[in-house]
Amino acid sequence: MMIPVERRPVIVDALRTPIGTSGGALRDVDVTGLLAPVLAELARHSPGPIGEVSIGNVRGPGGNPARVAALAAGLPVDVPAITVDRQCGSGLAALEHSVAMLSGLHEGFHIAGGVQSASTQPWTFWPPTAPDAEPVRYERAPFTPASFGDPDMGVAADLVAAECGITRERQDAYAVRSHQRAVASQAVGLFDDELVALPALDHDERPRAGFTVERLARFRPAFGPGGTCTAANCCGVNDGAAALLLCDGATAQRHGLHGLRVIDVVTAAGRPDRPGLGITAAVGKLVERTGVNLASIDVIDFNEAFAAQVLACLDQLRIDEERNCPQGGAIALGHPWAASGAVQLVRLFTQLVRSPQQPDARLGLAGIAIGGGQGTAMLVEAI
């Protein structure tokens, strides 16, 4: 059952840091250093006290990074905070958590978002398997039991490309367009008002003005011989934070606040060995619940983890690829894992509320695929 209209929470502000390349400008900025400035700025903008902070984070410093960053941001000590981990969907999971709370017994203002510092995440090791063995560096989480195959994300994207007929040429062309759009948006300042500049970085580090289809064609397969996914037609490994200020519907009405009303948010699960297709499952379930016609969506942001994967989802949902990420997506901007879902909502807020490019644009749709075969989709409307 969908949230009744009068109880639907409203996103009233949305900010993010610039997105850095792992090992780049933000290499010495930890999770707290990324997130605290965003929380502080949102709290400063809030018409009322913050009731809770919900933040997504993957393989970070441990403990409760949301609480640490909230205190570092100067929020009162009586503001509770929770950190959630749903892999790449963590930012949207944190937002989903706050939406659920504000749709029920809670009222007032919450902050929800995500943060990832791939550059500073701790090194961890599997314990030795024998008395004379060495510890083994922990490189990635297991997304499924071994009986499901648990392919690496890149390997799974190659499999999706082959099975869905997504050619290398199409992937490269899509990636070039993502960079071109992001570079053009950056040049005219379309990101400026959503950014909280950091001392080490005041702009997104990854977009490349010089990418062409001819240049991308020279990149070799990144995940195995014969594959079509390369380092250039997929996202990078990135650092960044993003968060949203939201409140329950009654509070928004009482304060006369405008923003993005959350119509519905859905998490779905499908094939664990084809994780990139999780967007299709989530959006399908959301359409079933809401009855929304995908042709009526004004701004679509499906996370571009891999060109192959996002193109397959767009094809399955019968959405023209040109409609996705009109100002550039994660292939160009970067994919700071746990922050990416929140970045998507910041981008929708800018395009539908802060500086709409279409005068009558109203509906926005975000979707993200998650390791283990899950996906989350959120439908919002500008009010």
Side-chain angles (χ1 to χ4, degrees):
M1 182 177 177
M2 281 199 306
I3 308 166
V5 173
E6 67 278 5
R7 291 173 55 187
R8 291 175 185 170
V10 179
I11 298 167
V12 297
D13 203 357
L15 297 170
R16 66 179 179 90
T17 66
I19 298 172
T21 299
S22 180
L26 298 177
R27 63 185 176 277
D28 298 320
V29 185
D30 64 9
V31 162
T32 301
L34 291 171
L35 181 58
V38 179
L39 298 184
E41 193 67 10
L42 286 175
R44 188 176 70 81
H45 293 180
S46 179
I50 304 301
E52 181 165 90
V53 175
S54 305
I55 297 296
N57 182 242
V58 177
R59 287 194 64 199
N64 186 353
R67 173 66 169 167
V68 176
L71 293 172
L75 271 67
V77 296
D78 61 353
V79 177
I82 183 173
T83 302
V84 299
D85 180 352
R86 194 179 266 160
Q87 297 298 302
C88 294
S90 298
L92 274 183
L95 191 55
E96 188 175 6
H97 171 80
S98 287
V99 165
M101 295 180 75
L102 292 170
S103 301
L105 299 177
H106 290 246
E107 61 180 20
F109 295 91
H110 284 202
I111 295 176
V115 61
Q116 196 69 47
S117 176
S119 293
T120 69
Q121 69 185 25
W123 287 10
T124 51
F125 294 82
W126 293 109
T129 55
D132 58 347
E134 294 292 325
V136 177
R137 174 87 180 270
Y138 179 106
E139 296 291 346
R140 74 164 180 91
F143 298 122
T144 74
S147 59
F148 285 93
D150 193 23
D152 287 340
M153 300 296 282
V155 171
D158 271 337
L159 291 170
V160 165
E163 292 166 359
C164 297
I166 311 296
T167 65
R168 166 70 185 271
E169 292 74 19
R170 189 177 171 200
Q171 293 174 55
D172 287 351
Y174 182 93
V176 168
R177 183 165 62 243
S178 183
H179 279 274
Q180 289 174 340
R181 288 176 168 181
V183 168
S185 299
Q186 197 173 52
V188 297
L190 295 182
F191 304 148
D192 291 357
D193 290 341
E194 68 190 36
L195 291 178
V196 176
L198 301 174
L201 188 65
D202 64 0
H203 64 280
D204 295 314
E205 193 171 19
R206 180 173 166 82
R208 296 290 182 267
F211 272 3
T212 63
V213 170
E214 292 75 21
R215 183 175 176 186
L216 264 63
R218 297 199 293 267
F219 281 76
R220 294 181 178 179
F223 305 106
T228 54
C229 297
T230 72
N233 64 29
C234 64
C235 66
V237 178
N238 299 96
D239 306 323
L244 302 304
L245 176 67
L246 64 161
C247 62
D248 62 284
T251 296
Q253 187 173 25
R254 186 166 60 250
H255 286 271
L257 298 173
H258 301 283
L260 292 179
R261 178 188 285 137
V262 179
I263 298 176
D264 202 5
V265 54
V266 173
T267 296
R271 287 186 61 177
D273 59 345
R274 298 295 185 272
L277 299 179
I279 291 173
T280 302
V283 172
K285 188 174 179 180
L286 185 143
V287 169
E288 182 181 323
R289 283 165 56 101
T290 64
V292 68
N293 183 344
L294 293 178
S296 70
I297 305 296
D298 298 295
V299 183
I300 295 173
D301 192 314
F302 290 171
N303 190 55
E304 300 171 349
F306 301 85
Q309 156 263 328
V310 76
L311 285 167
C313 292
L314 291 164
D315 286 355
Q316 291 179 352
L317 293 165
R318 295 182 173 84
I319 297 173
D320 185 336
E321 66 183 74
E322 293 269 358
R323 296 180 62 201
N324 195 46
C325 299
Q327 295 181 356
I331 287 175
L333 295 173
H335 179 15
W337 306 318
S340 289
V343 171
Q344 291 178 278
L345 267 296
V346 173
R347 300 269 46 258
L348 289 180
F349 190 91
T350 288
Q351 293 170 87
L352 291 169
V353 179
R354 186 175 275 127
S355 54
Q357 302 299 294
Q358 307 170 44
D360 299 322
R362 186 176 68 88
L363 292 177
L365 175 63
I368 193 165
I370 303 165
Q374 299 186 95
T376 298
M378 180 176 283
L379 180 65
V380 294
E381 63 176 338
I383 60 168

